[in-house]
Amino acid sequence: MFQKLCGTNYPVSIAFIIVNEFCERFSYYGMKALLTLYFKNYLHWDKDLSTAIYHAFSSLCYFTPVLGAIIADSWLGKFKTIIYLSIVYVIGHVIKSIGAIPSVGDNTVHIVLSMAGLVLIALGTGGIKPCVSAFGGDQFEDKHTEERRKFFSIFYMSINAGSVLSTLITPILRGDVKCFGNDCYALAFGVPAVLMMISLVVFIAGSGLYKKSPPEGNILLSVCGCIGFAVKNRWKRSKHDPKRDHWLNWAEEKYPKRLIEEIKMVLRVLVLYIPLPMFWALFDQQGSRWTLQATRMNLNILLNAFLILVFVPIFDMGVYPLIGLCKINFTPLKKMATGMIFAALAFVAATMVEIDVTVRQLFITPDFLYREVKCISSQMEYIIDLGLLDFGASYSVILKTNLQGIEVFKMEDVHANNVSIAWQVPQYALITAGEVMFSITGLEFSYSQAPANMKSVLQAGWLMTVAFGNVIVLIVAEGAELQQWAEFVLFAALLVAVCIIFSIIAYFYTYVNPKQLDNMFQDDSKEDNLKKETVQDLALIPVFRNTMM
């Protein structure tokens, strides 16, 4: 019997998992919050390349969960997979921090070390992603479904609590602490590395309290083999053969019926996932396009994480119960569709802000143009042209006299804000509300609809929708060559279309309880056990006769 927290139905082990997730997310978001500015200001890449590499990294972080899920469900189990890949994660952070030290080589060395570190970080964070959430869900007994649902909300809050603190701390370390006269990216990346080490230690400390499910063998190989055999068998059969209820049933000659039903369950959910990358294509632009829209202290990312901490309890204890009192059947899939609509509205708001920025750039007010500035030096009076002194920026002006008069050197120490963060509050409020309904619900839905031996695999499938979303942004950012406001309009329109498609698919989805498989195949299990007992009895008969002789 596993220990429970203070007389509740929550296992003590989830406390270690929550703290582990908090530290790991602090590590990840603390590093990621600086990436776009690091690429642009330290590695001297332009805006489009910085955006492209940022989303390529984000995409890789959400493709690697498939690898982690395969290792966990087929080989090492979730517990060992989390430990081993966390070590890879720590090594990636250390290499990334070394690459940000100005005295370590030239710009080429910095790029190589930074990219190597990011690849290892992507492998580590992506590999443990599907395992940690599924491992947390495994700690609960089957009858405690409500506690498990609330665990996923708490789990998501821990993610954003880590994000809030890291987004506050790492930009301060970058800007206020100087390394060799420059912003200290090495220290700002080093602190997340330390937090990842703490995350690993905390997770190992709870080892004796965890409920650890052993790996089920190479389940992915069985799934691929079953699907391949079904397609091959159906192709070979004559058109006159009796039809079967489902194309996967053509694998019944070789594979167990239970495995076939489990694959059906997984495929039904994966079909639902097909339209979902568009949501993440919008959502993850908070760290790239929206960061460049208002760069002041990275407050935009902080705002999203803070709103999550506020909105999760509001939705769990206020909005959802109120909807229930109104006798509205607000199913998980309806929540996700509503979340997508909110995200589309957020990009409409972002478009309005971007249009305002574009208009302001086209019609620069004369108040910010300083064409004739009087300057008095050594009893001499000069009229100098300082040009545009933009709002929110800080400038240093050096005057140098020469034979022709005076020469002006103007340097922009702090870049002007494209737009005040206050104008972005509505779009962040909308997309965060969408995230609460979409992401947390999707996390719990993926766990609840998966067979016991495929929970990590289906969690990885959910996370891959994030990867494909970043690929979409990567393609548009590099290939479309649209103005920023037009790009926002395109994404919003695509998400509305995708939301309609998702709603149609969701309408035909039937919710399942994976535990029903035990009841469905209980008789088959009894028959298999009876066959085994009969074989064993028959094997004992010769021995009995020999002893009687």
Side-chain angles (χ1 to χ4, degrees), residues 115-172:
M115 295 303 103
L118 288 177
V119 169
L120 291 177
I121 290 171
L123 179 61
T125 188
I128 68 175
K129 267 181 192 296
C131 304
V132 176
S133 56
F135 190 65
D138 289 346
Q139 305 307 305
F140 292 85
E141 297 176 29
D142 296 334
K143 58 185 178 182
H144 298 145
T145 54
E146 182 61 21
E147 285 82 1
R148 188 179 65 205
R149 187 191 68 79
K150 290 181 179 178
F151 159 75
F152 282 109
S153 291
I154 297 169
F155 183 82
Y156 207 80
M157 286 183 69
S158 71
I159 292 173
N160 287 276
S163 176
V164 165
L165 288 178
S166 64
T167 308
L168 275 172
I169 293 171
T170 52
I172 293 173

Side-chain angles (χ1 to χ4, degrees), residues 234-267:
R234 176 67 185 89
W235 183 263
K236 285 184 175 180
R237 294 303 179 97
S238 169
K239 293 181 180 179
H240 302 292
D241 287 338
K243 293 184 177 180
R244 303 192 183 184
D245 295 336
H246 194 281
W247 63 271
L248 270 173
N249 291 343
W250 289 97
E252 288 177 349
E253 285 84 351
K254 183 177 180 181
Y255 290 90
K257 290 182 179 179
R258 182 183 181 112
L259 176 64
I260 293 172
E261 289 301 319
E262 288 173 340
I263 296 173
K264 288 179 184 177
M265 291 169 61
V266 171
L267 290 181

Side-chain angles (χ1 to χ4, degrees), residues 379-397:
Q379 308 302 319
M380 294 291 293
E381 184 175 303
Y382 301 95
I383 301 298
I384 60 176
D385 182 3
L386 294 179
L388 175 66
L389 300 182
D390 207 351
F391 180 77
S394 175
Y395 299 90
S396 294
V397 179

Side-chain angles (χ1 to χ4, degrees), residues 63 72 82 207 232 276 378 464 503 519:
F63 275 121
I82 293 169
S207 175
K232 182 180 177 182
L276 302 188
S378 301
M464 280 192 70
S503 299
N519 299 327

Side-chain angles (χ1 to χ4, degrees), residues 437-456:
M437 288 183 280
F438 182 88
S439 187
I440 299 176
T441 306
L443 198 65
E444 196 275 332
F445 175 81
S446 299
Y447 184 90
S448 66
Q449 297 297 290
N453 58 347
M454 299 187 194
K455 291 193 180 295
S456 292

Side-chain angles (χ1 to χ4, degrees), residues 169-477:
I169 293 171
T170 52
I172 293 173
L173 295 175
R174 172 190 67 88
D176 292 358
V177 180
K178 298 298 180 182
C179 300
F180 304 96
N182 300 309
D183 288 347
C184 199
Y185 284 101
L187 178 61
F189 288 141
V191 170
V194 173
L195 263 292
M196 189 58 220
M197 294 176 193
I198 295 173
S199 173
L200 178 58
V201 171
V202 169
F203 185 76
I204 295 174
S207 175
L209 300 171
Y210 298 137
K211 177 183 176 183
K212 303 170 187 173
S213 303
E216 298 282 342
N218 200 336
I219 188 67
L220 187 68
L221 185 63
S222 300
V223 169
C224 294
C226 181
I227 293 173
F229 183 81
V231 173
K232 182 180 177 182
N233 197 24
R234 176 67 185 89
W235 183 263
K236 285 184 175 180
R237 294 303 179 97
S238 169
K239 293 181 180 179
H240 302 292
D241 287 338
K243 293 184 177 180
R244 303 192 183 184
D245 295 336
H246 194 281
W247 63 271
L248 270 173
N249 291 343
W250 289 97
E252 288 177 349
E253 285 84 351
K254 183 177 180 181
Y255 290 90
K257 290 182 179 179
R258 182 183 181 112
L259 176 64
I260 293 172
E261 289 301 319
E262 288 173 340
I263 296 173
K264 288 179 184 177
M265 291 169 61
V266 171
L267 290 181
R268 280 195 291 267
V269 177
L270 291 178
V271 169
L272 274 173
Y273 288 171
I274 291 173
L276 302 188
M278 188 53 64
F279 174 88
W280 299 112
L282 273 69
F283 179 82
D284 273 352
Q285 291 189 55
Q286 294 177 85
S288 57
R289 292 305 199 199
W290 288 13
T291 298
L292 296 171
Q293 194 182 53
T295 58
R296 192 180 182 90
M297 289 183 63
N298 237 7
L299 285 176
N300 42 6
I301 300 175
L302 174 63
L303 181 59
N304 170 251
F306 175 76
L307 288 175
I308 281 286
L309 296 178
V310 174
F311 282 4
V312 168
I314 288 175
F315 274 79
D316 272 354
M317 295 185 289
V319 176
Y320 294 152
L322 184 61
I323 292 174
L325 288 174
C326 296
K327 307 297 182 182
I328 298 174
N329 185 21
F330 203 40
T331 62
L333 294 179
K334 288 179 181 177
K335 292 179 186 177
M336 293 169 68
T338 306
M340 295 170 79
I341 293 172
F342 271 72
L345 292 174
F347 259 70
V348 171
T351 303
M352 299 300 292
V353 172
E354 192 62 35
I355 290 174
D356 177 69
V357 171
T358 304
V359 171
R360 194 179 66 173
Q361 289 174 345
L362 289 174
F363 303 100
I364 297 175
T365 172
D367 293 342
F368 297 129
L369 292 173
Y370 296 85
R371 298 298 187 190
E372 297 181 355
V373 178
K374 186 182 292 186
C375 178
I376 300 174
S377 174
S378 301
Q379 308 302 319
M380 294 291 293
E381 184 175 303
Y382 301 95
I383 301 298
I384 60 176
D385 182 3
L386 294 179
L388 175 66
L389 300 182
D390 207 351
F391 180 77
S394 175
Y395 299 90
S396 294
V397 179
I398 299 174
L399 304 179
K400 183 180 179 182
T401 57
N402 54 32
L403 295 175
Q404 285 75 33
I406 193 165
E407 192 174 0
V408 179
F409 297 91
K410 184 178 71 172
M411 294 173 290
E412 188 176 13
D413 302 320
V414 177
H415 295 295
N417 294 325
N418 289 335
V419 63
S420 169
I421 188 68
W423 288 102
Q424 291 187 307
V425 170
Q427 67 198 59
Y428 275 95
L430 286 167
I431 204 163
T432 303
E435 180 187 2
V436 170
M437 288 183 280
F438 182 88
S439 187
I440 299 176
T441 306
L443 198 65
E444 196 275 332
F445 175 81
S446 299
Y447 184 90
S448 66
Q449 297 297 290
N453 58 347
M454 299 187 194
K455 291 193 180 295
S456 292
V457 170
L458 202 51
Q459 290 285 329
W462 165 256
L463 293 168
M464 280 192 70
T465 64
V466 185
F468 284 112
N470 280 277
V471 170
I472 292 171
V473 179
L474 193 62
I475 293 170
V476 173

